Amino acid sequence: MLSFLQGFWVILKHTFRKRETVLYPEEKIYLPPRFRGRIILSRDPDGAERCVACHLCSSVCPVDCIALQAAEDETGRRYPEFFRINFSRCILCGFCEEACPTAAIQLTPDFEMAEYLRENLVYEKEDLLISGPGKYPGYNFYKVAGLAVGGKDKGDGENEETPVDVHGLLP
Amino acid sequence: MILKHVLIVIGVLGGAMSASAGLVWLERRLLAVWQDRYGPNRVGPFGLLQVAADGIKMFFKEDWVPPFADKPVFILAPVLAMVTALLSFAVLPFAPGIVVADLNIGLLYFLAVVALGVFGIALGGWSSNNKYALIGAVRGVAQMLSYEVFMGLSLMGVVLIAGTFNLSEIVMAQKHMWNVVPQFPGFVLFTIAGFAETHRTPFDLPEAESELVAGYHTEYSGMKFGLFFVGEYLGVTMTSAMIVILFFGGWMGPFFPPIVWFLGKTFVFICFFILVRAALPRPRYDQLMGYAWKVLLPLSLLNLLVTGAFVVGGYI
Ligand code: SF4
Ligand code: SF4
């Protein structure tokens, strides 16, 4: 019986405690930069699309919500013809970001994506692509890939040496 | 005269219904306060229109009768649950003269009508044809039966002191001292029984959502579920009012008009109901039954015996 009364007292004291609830729309909590929210496609520092349409993200995605079509421009640079993420299925697991070799696909600290129509949750490339490099400011995949591609020959990249001419006699 | 009576009936009905609707909001708000949350605070001032939002939602939900249920009984059960809860409001004296039916056996009528409340649960659980609903209903019946026994007995002390079953006269008899002082054990026992009768935590075993899905109203949806809910809140209001009438001097009090006193005291006990829900866990089923028969029933008999001795001896 006494313990009941103690219990009531403890509960009553909670009347004047600080509330735990964050009154959301008026008050917002800080989301760390690595928060896994809305997905974007970033560009490299030169302003070109980073995505090389390697399909790694779409194959790692546990709910198969990424669809893309690979294409190649005249300089040999690969890019996605379309890139579609269905956010009504995406579980924001971040696997795509981990799999991406070019740091193109990134998750951002934004979760306010509610829509009245389900179709509006399907984001196309225009919706996903941003104008900056996102979380990896200096990174340019083609500059470190060692590949000859539009405007950049082998050996022109960062930390690259000109290729050895294996047919020549000179050391 | 007739007009006054009709007005009282309408007033009591409307008051009871709006009180039970308001309780939906009050309970959620108070529980939130005691759990360091805010509760519903978006719809209207202080979230008060949440009641309206809930009502609209209830009305527009699909009213589903499962094909395996016993249809007529299934539909009848929630109606019973609510009507029996409403019936007992007829004898509550809110203030001098403001009572629907001033029966000279008001207290007996109250006990009888409250006992009918078990049919809502029993029939609802039985006709659902669902094992969880049935377990809930069986628990409900056993619990209500065993708690009814000493609920009646715990009130007999009050009847002995006042010498009447008429609720208005019981209130008048507390002019000098509230019954809670000489009848403190009776008050505690009746409160416990009241919790069990309205199957509120810690006696919500017929519902027991953590073990029985939702107990006897597992299969109910839409407004049928709403009726069960309103019935429960009506029960809370009615039990609180009953505690006030029997033990806390009903409408008596200085300065304010009687009705204010009555409603204020009732409100305090409604809050107490919610506080108990916030504070106490649900006991095991056998503990509940054993407690009723082995502890509370002998205690209420003892209380009756001692009170009787005092009354016969002329001390009260
Ligand atoms: S976050 Fe997970 S679920 Fe969403 S697109 Fe990336 S891999 Fe798929
Ligand atoms: S976003 Fe990354 S992983 Fe996905 S196709 Fe483009 S480069 Fe590959």
Side-chain angles (χ1 to χ4, degrees):
Chain A
M1 202 64 205
L2 192 68
S3 59
F4 284 0
L5 296 180
Q6 274 174 342
F8 293 154
W9 178 239
V10 169
I11 299 289
L12 271 180
K13 275 198 296 193
H14 274 262
T15 314
F16 304 106
R17 286 272 183 89
K18 196 181 157 299
R19 309 285 98 180
E20 292 289 345
T21 318
V22 179
L23 290 172
Y24 159 63
E26 293 95 42
E27 209 182 308
K28 288 182 180 165
I29 56 164
Y30 166 74
L31 294 176
R34 287 218 221 162
F35 184 86
R36 299 198 307 262
R38 179 170 58 86
I39 298 174
I40 50 109
L41 285 175
S42 57
R43 293 174 187 272
D44 59 29
D46 304 338
E49 274 176 50
R50 263 179 179 157
C51 175
V52 295
C54 65
H55 288 101
L56 282 178
C57 53
S58 65
S59 35
V60 78
C61 178
V63 291
D64 285 345
C65 68
I66 304 181
L68 70 143
Q69 171 71 53
E72 205 167 300
D73 67 7
E74 55 292 346
T75 63
R77 203 180 151 117
R78 283 166 62 92
Y79 70 97
E81 207 175 343
F82 67 80
F83 197 107
R84 191 175 294 143
I85 298 183
N86 183 350
F87 278 107
S88 66
R89 293 176 71 178
C90 175
I91 55 174
L92 300 173
C93 63
F95 284 6
C96 45
E97 179 172 5
E98 274 184 49
C100 183
T102 65
I105 193 164
Q106 293 176 12
L107 282 80
T108 58
D110 172 25
F111 57 89
E112 294 164 326
M113 307 166 64
E115 297 281 357
Y116 282 106
L117 285 177
R118 218 167 263 247
E119 300 88 80
N120 293 351
L121 281 167
V122 178
Y123 282 40
E124 296 292 339
K125 195 164 101 174
E126 308 86 84
D127 312 320
L128 296 166
L129 211 55
I130 60 165
S131 50
K135 286 181 237 179
Y136 305 93
Y139 183 67
N140 189 335
F141 174 70
Y142 279 111
K143 284 273 160 62
V144 293
L147 192 77
V149 79
K152 179 215 144 219
D153 211 353
K154 275 191 182 159
D156 284 357
E158 291 160 18
N159 307 327
E160 266 180 51
E161 286 169 12
T162 32
V164 178
D165 180 7
V166 286
H167 301 296
L169 285 168
L170 291 172
Chain B
M1 193 59 212
I2 289 206
L3 186 70
K4 188 190 167 207
H5 221 83
V6 170
L7 277 182
I8 289 176
V9 171
I10 292 175
V12 169
L13 193 63
M17 296 307 285
S18 45
S20 62
L23 266 185
V24 178
W25 173 81
L26 182 76
E27 169 151 51
R28 288 168 66 181
R29 224 35 227 268
L30 275 183
L31 277 182
V33 161
W34 289 321
Q35 291 166 358
D36 299 349
R37 300 182 283 122
Y38 287 103
N41 62 351
R42 294 284 148 172
V43 204
F46 303 106
L48 263 171
L49 290 183
Q50 184 73 34
V51 177
D54 281 349
I56 293 169
K57 186 190 84 173
M58 285 284 189
F59 270 113
F60 286 97
K61 283 251 167 149
E62 186 183 359
D63 198 10
W64 164 251
V65 179
F68 45 81
D70 185 349
K71 203 168 173 196
V73 186
F74 188 82
I75 294 173
L76 190 67
V79 180
L80 264 179
M82 180 159 146
V83 166
T84 50
L86 263 183
L87 272 178
S88 46
F89 276 89
V91 288
L92 299 187
F94 294 91
I98 303 188
V99 52
V100 176
D102 200 10
L103 297 181
N104 56 356
I105 48 155
L107 192 57
L108 282 186
Y109 170 87
F110 162 77
L111 288 173
V113 169
V114 159
L116 283 181
V118 75
F119 282 106
I121 294 181
L123 294 179
W126 177 261
S127 63
S128 296
N129 225 340
N130 168 323
K131 56 187 162 201
Y132 294 117
L134 183 62
I135 295 174
V138 168
R139 284 181 180 190
V141 173
Q143 172 183 323
M144 303 257 301
L145 284 182
S146 42
Y147 277 78
E148 220 131 71
V149 173
F150 74 84
M151 182 188 208
L153 282 174
S154 66
L155 295 183
M156 288 312 127
V158 173
V159 174
L160 271 181
I161 292 175
T164 172
F165 277 109
N166 184 311
L167 289 174
S168 310
E169 283 171 31
I170 290 181
V171 174
M172 296 304 280
Q174 300 175 53
K175 210 163 211 145
H176 303 296
M177 192 185 359
W178 287 357
N179 268 339
V180 66
V181 181
Q183 275 297 308
F184 188 72
F187 160 64
V188 174
L189 288 165
F190 179 73
T191 311
I192 294 173
F195 275 94
E197 284 292 323
T198 48
H199 38 89
R200 297 269 310 173
T201 11
F203 299 111
D204 62 342
L205 283 117
E207 230 179 292
E209 58 268 32
S210 47
E211 15 176 328
L212 294 183
V213 192
Y216 61 94
H217 58 56
T218 304
E219 297 289 350
Y220 283 90
S221 62
M223 208 52 214
K224 291 206 197 71
F225 168 77
L227 285 185
F228 272 125
F229 226 72
V230 171
E232 179 176 329
Y233 283 118
L234 281 176
V236 171
T237 319
M238 182 259 291
T239 314
S240 310
M242 228 30 210
I243 294 175
V244 169
I245 291 169
L246 294 170
F247 296 101
F248 285 86
W251 64 73
M252 307 249 195
F255 308 126
F256 297 112
I259 189 80
V260 173
W261 271 106
F262 183 83
L263 295 181
K265 290 177 190 172
T266 309
F267 181 77
V268 169
F269 277 97
I270 289 175
C271 293
F272 177 67
F273 263 80
I274 298 169
L275 173 66
V276 168
R277 172 161 177 197
L280 295 185
R282 185 186 306 133
R284 222 170 50 215
Y285 188 57
D286 56 323
Q287 291 170 335
L288 184 87
M289 298 298 288
Y291 191 56
W293 290 108
K294 292 182 198 155
V295 183
L296 298 174
L297 180 61
L299 270 183
S300 60
L301 282 172
L302 195 69
N303 176 42
L304 182 58
L305 204 70
V306 174
T307 314
F310 271 88
V311 169
V312 169
Y315 295 106
I316 298 177

